[in-house]
Amino acid sequence: MKAKAAIFMGAGRDFEVREFDVVPAPAGYARMELAASGVCGTDLHFHRGTLSAPVPSIIGHEFVGRITDIDPEEGARAGLRTGDAVIADIAVPCGECLLCREGDDANCVRMQVTNGGDIGVSPYLYGGYAEVNFTPVSNLIRVPDGVDPVIAAVFACPGPTVLHAVRLAKEAGVDFAALRTAVVQGLGPVGVFAVMYLKSLGIGRVIAVTAHENPERADLARALGADEVLALERCPDAADKLAQENGGLGVDLCIEASGAPSAVPMGLGILRNRGVYLIPGQYSASGGVEIQPQLITFKALRILGSSQYSVSDVRGYLEFLRDNPGLHGTIAKIPKKYPISRINEAIADAKTPGNCKTLLVKG
């Protein structure tokens, strides 16, 4: 039995598609067959060269598939068995550093990853860009009954990313039930999910801000709960408009999900006194930007970065999907799907403004 995988060959270079032998699952691992695997913004940063990844390697960390081989005893301990649909979580915290000991394993300082295995050594297929994947049983989270694995794959990383940022805010004392207005900067996968999730928390007004006008993306945001979508190229006074929220105080909460450094000064400017700025979107070395730090002081702003997530956040994301079946139809229309053999077309398409989410599927 063979399986195709897309091999990352370095920044700016085409991926190579290779076939690998499919072997039994090693001890401690499960073998899964691909349902769908997302192309993440992080992967695009690898391809642009703004983040680094080993060469050659199988990148990708949004693998959702069905278990085809697992040791029955190991599976029983984890509540898993052959045929289960699962999300493969990439993060392997050390469990021993200060952060891990304090219960903050998402920010482990010695974090390892499940997709870092050598493609020249069996079982070869550790990364997400493959028709078959091997992941430690401890890093698998079962997709609930009633949730299509392909739908689960659409926000497999963006969903937990947003949930973790919100969790950090709650731990810092932010009362989401008291918030009246929230802004989401950017309508990529993280931003689209943030709109949907913030609205589910009962926030009265959720406003999305984008750099460029994109009617299709704006319609999607509205379908998922956005009360208003502002495109800066059409509405250059958007910052002034948002600063008038709450009777001229500004917005309660802003989530930076665009990844554009230029978004940060705007985010600081539109927040009210004691406003909350969550920043999970700045995930690459994309250059610096000038800010007005006195705004942080004078407004007593609360600013939280959030770069990773925990297994508990993945479970929370899947529970959100399970509990909101009415969203599934809209989510199902979001991704563009490509077989592994068309990886270079998929990557090129993922970089275009018209594509919100790209999924690799078996074909």
Side-chain angles (χ1 to χ4, degrees):
M1 182 177 173
K2 301 279 188 179
K4 292 186 178 71
I7 311 300
F8 176 68
M9 301 303 295
R13 299 184 61 184
D14 282 351
F15 285 73
E16 292 185 4
V17 177
R18 302 179 188 173
E19 284 195 334
F20 292 81
D21 290 329
V22 176
V23 300
Y29 282 74
R31 186 183 72 203
M32 293 157 290
E33 183 177 84
L34 175 67
S37 187
V39 174
C40 182
T42 301
D43 303 330
L44 301 183
H45 289 313
F46 291 147
H47 199 245
R48 292 185 181 111
T50 51
L51 286 175
S52 61
V55 177
S57 64
I58 302 173
I59 62 171
H61 57 273
E62 299 184 4
F63 189 97
V64 180
R66 290 196 180 275
I67 296 174
T68 58
D69 186 23
I70 188 172
D71 179 88
E73 292 185 5
E74 292 177 347
R77 287 194 294 269
L80 298 171
R81 60 185 180 181
T82 300
D84 282 346
V86 290
I87 287 181
D89 182 43
I90 186 178
V92 185
C94 72
E96 299 176 354
C97 71
L98 175 64
L99 280 301
C100 285
R101 293 201 307 272
E102 292 182 343
D104 189 10
D105 62 359
N107 289 296
C108 171
V109 297
R110 293 195 288 269
M111 186 75 78
Q112 300 295 311
V113 293
T114 61
N115 67 350
D118 187 338
I119 64 172
V121 178
S122 179
Y124 319 111
L125 303 169
Y126 298 100
Y129 287 12
E131 293 176 332
V132 168
N133 173 272
F134 293 85
T135 290
V137 173
S138 57
N139 280 69
L140 299 179
I141 304 95
R142 185 178 178 275
V143 177
D145 295 338
V147 177
D148 186 323
V150 176
I151 287 174
V154 175
F155 296 112
C157 175
T161 294
V162 171
L163 263 66
H164 190 75
V166 169
R167 174 153 68 97
L168 292 180
K170 289 180 177 178
E171 290 174 357
V174 177
D175 180 5
F176 279 78
L179 302 182
R180 294 166 291 277
T181 307
V183 167
V184 175
Q185 295 175 295
L187 280 177
V190 173
V192 168
F193 186 85
V195 165
M196 177 169 43
Y197 189 66
L198 291 177
K199 200 62 181 179
S200 78
L201 295 177
I203 296 175
R205 275 175 57 75
V206 176
I207 303 166
V209 177
T210 64
H212 304 289
E213 193 166 15
N214 186 326
E216 184 177 331
R217 198 74 58 90
D219 288 345
L220 172 62
R222 293 188 189 96
L224 293 173
D227 296 281
E228 192 171 1
V229 180
L230 300 175
L232 298 180
E233 68 178 3
R234 184 184 180 95
C235 185
D237 62 344
D240 294 334
K241 176 181 172 68
L242 293 168
Q244 296 307 307
E245 293 287 330
N246 281 320
L249 294 177
V251 304
D252 299 300
L253 172 84
C254 184
I255 293 186
E256 202 304 290
S258 73
S262 59
V264 176
M266 179 184 178
L268 296 175
I270 63 178
L271 285 165
R272 66 168 173 82
N273 283 27
R274 297 296 289 147
V276 181
Y277 200 5
L278 304 183
I279 309 181
Q282 299 292 323
Y283 205 81
S284 71
S286 297
V289 66
E290 183 177 293
I291 66 169
Q292 299 300 317
Q294 73 275 11
L295 293 177
I296 302 170
T297 302
F298 293 156
K299 292 185 177 184
L301 298 179
R302 292 170 285 178
I303 303 173
L304 290 167
S306 179
S307 62
Q308 311 291 343
Y309 52 81
S310 300
V311 166
S312 61
D313 299 305
V314 181
R315 290 198 176 98
Y317 162 65
L318 291 171
E319 290 166 2
F320 173 80
L321 291 180
R322 180 199 64 199
D323 296 341
N324 291 275
L327 295 170
H328 293 190
T330 301
I331 295 172
K333 298 175 184 176
I334 293 174
K336 293 186 178 180
K337 302 170 189 174
Y338 295 86
I340 297 290
S341 59
R342 294 170 60 194
I343 179 62
N344 291 304
E345 184 181 348
I347 293 293
D349 195 22
K351 293 178 179 179
T352 63
N355 188 351
C356 181
K357 186 64 182 182
T358 297
L359 294 180
L360 300 174
V361 295
K362 191 169 183 179

